[in-house]
Amino acid sequence: MAAIEGCIKKMKTELEDTVQYSLPVGDDLFPMNPHIGQTVRLEHLGKIHCIHCGRKTNKSFSQGYCFPCMRSLARCDMCVVKPETCHYDQGTCREPEWGEEYCMIPHTVYLANSSGIKVGITRQPQQRTRWMDQGATQALPILTVEQRLHAGHAEVALKGFVSDKTDWRKMLKGEAPPMDMAQVRDELFDKAGQELPGEKLPGAEVVQIRYPVLEYPEKVRSHNLDKEPRLEGTLMGIKGQYLIFDTAVINMRKYAGYLMQVSAG
């Protein structure tokens, strides 16, 4: 395949028998699954553009934004990472209309098995995308709430008993051992008592997710395009937002907005 150039964004995913990946490169989509087992080349061409305003920037902030956008956009505020700190009701949201569209809507609290059990939250329309981005092999919705702030309160109550983080190195070393997700959910509900907001989802089904990986690395070495602008090797698989090469792994989401040349074969 001929090389294509453009600013990239995080990989798009489709949940099928095996997760299907494509990498946005400028206006094109570069299909990744067909090239597993082949030589793939990535080269950072030295420019970075903000994924929101398009401004050229010397450094990327918050996974793809320039500094002014990072300071002004609600999606870059700390409350996105810590939703329990939402300050919309105080009238201090950076972008009230954005907050109404993305935060003041139903959210799901879920359990995922990626590097072990973790609790997380997501907007309902994108929950499967969220699970795939995290490299979860099992996921189970456990609560539905009216808005992001309430989801944050539920997450705080539950993370006293279970992690709210994914160990990305462990996730990339292999498949997490299968868990009885419903049993874990019930045990967490018992421990949390009456502290949880929202509606419990006792009838939700576990979603099983398989990733296109030929071989997991024994030792995880992360490639940094800012230090080494070129990465070439055999693509051994894809999991979460990581490309797994025979020489290193790379988090493609980290490089959103980077001008890159991508080729395979």
Side-chain angles (χ1 to χ4, degrees):
M1 177 181 291
I4 61 173
E5 295 182 7
C7 290
I8 69 165
K9 293 183 179 179
K10 81 178 187 76
M11 289 184 286
K12 292 183 177 294
T13 55
E14 293 183 17
L15 183 56
E16 298 182 8
D17 289 342
T18 300
V19 179
Q20 298 296 305
Y21 285 92
S22 56
L23 176 66
V25 184
D27 295 328
D28 297 317
L29 279 179
F30 189 92
M32 298 304 303
N33 292 57
H35 302 297
I36 294 174
Q38 299 179 3
T39 297
V40 172
R41 291 170 290 276
L42 307 174
E43 185 171 359
H44 171 36
L45 301 179
K47 295 181 180 180
I48 308 171
H49 291 269
C50 175
I51 61 173
H52 178 72
C53 71
R55 179 189 289 115
K56 185 179 177 182
T57 176
N58 292 327
K59 183 178 179 181
S60 174
F61 298 87
S62 299
Q63 298 180 324
Y65 299 91
C66 64
F67 186 73
C69 284
M70 186 271 290
R71 291 292 301 272
S72 64
L73 296 176
R75 70 206 69 180
C76 297
D77 201 348
M78 181 58 67
C79 55
V80 171
V81 179
K82 296 184 176 181
E84 69 275 13
T85 63
C86 172
H87 46 94
Y88 177 90
D89 61 350
Q90 300 172 28
T92 54
C93 181
R94 296 177 181 180
E95 297 177 280
E97 291 184 0
W98 185 90
E100 290 167 6
E101 182 177 356
Y102 289 93
C103 302
M104 301 296 130
I105 62 173
H107 277 62
T108 297
V109 181
Y110 63 86
L111 297 178
N113 186 12
S114 49
S115 58
I117 295 292
K118 72 175 290 289
V119 62
I121 71 171
T122 184
R123 287 177 283 126
Q124 290 182 358
Q126 68 151 22
Q127 58 188 20
R128 295 195 173 196
T129 298
R130 180 70 169 162
W131 301 334
M132 290 184 283
D133 284 350
Q134 293 182 340
T137 52
Q138 296 174 288
L140 177 66
I142 62 172
L143 288 169
T144 182
V145 297
E146 293 182 355
Q147 57 177 274
R148 188 173 180 84
L149 174 63
H150 299 162
H153 289 159
E155 185 178 44
V156 168
L158 291 169
K159 71 181 183 180
F161 310 105
V162 66
S163 177
D164 64 337
K165 300 287 191 300
T166 296
D167 182 337
W168 64 272
R169 291 183 180 274
K170 186 176 179 181
M171 181 267 290
L172 290 174
K173 284 187 174 182
E175 299 293 331
M179 303 287 290
D180 186 333
M181 303 291 282
Q183 180 179 339
V184 174
R185 173 201 62 202
D186 295 343
E187 291 174 353
L188 284 174
F189 282 165
D190 288 342
K191 292 175 181 177
Q194 302 300 316
E195 298 180 40
L196 299 174
E199 179 184 351
K200 295 180 179 179
L201 302 172
E205 295 185 358
V206 177
V207 176
Q208 308 284 347
I209 305 174
R210 295 177 62 244
Y211 296 89
V213 180
L214 295 179
E215 183 179 325
Y216 287 101
E218 292 185 7
K219 184 176 181 180
V220 176
R221 185 181 79 84
S222 181
H223 188 90
N224 187 336
L225 287 175
D226 293 314
K227 295 180 179 179
E228 301 175 70
R230 183 180 175 90
L231 173 59
E232 180 174 348
T234 302
L235 182 62
M236 303 304 294
I238 315 172
K239 192 176 184 187
Q241 281 290 318
Y242 286 85
L243 298 181
I244 303 172
F245 286 82
D246 58 339
T247 54
V249 303
I250 184 168
N251 181 359
M252 298 307 291
R253 186 168 193 168
K254 176 181 177 181
Y255 298 103
Y258 279 54
L259 180 63
M260 294 181 62
Q261 182 182 87
V262 183
S263 61

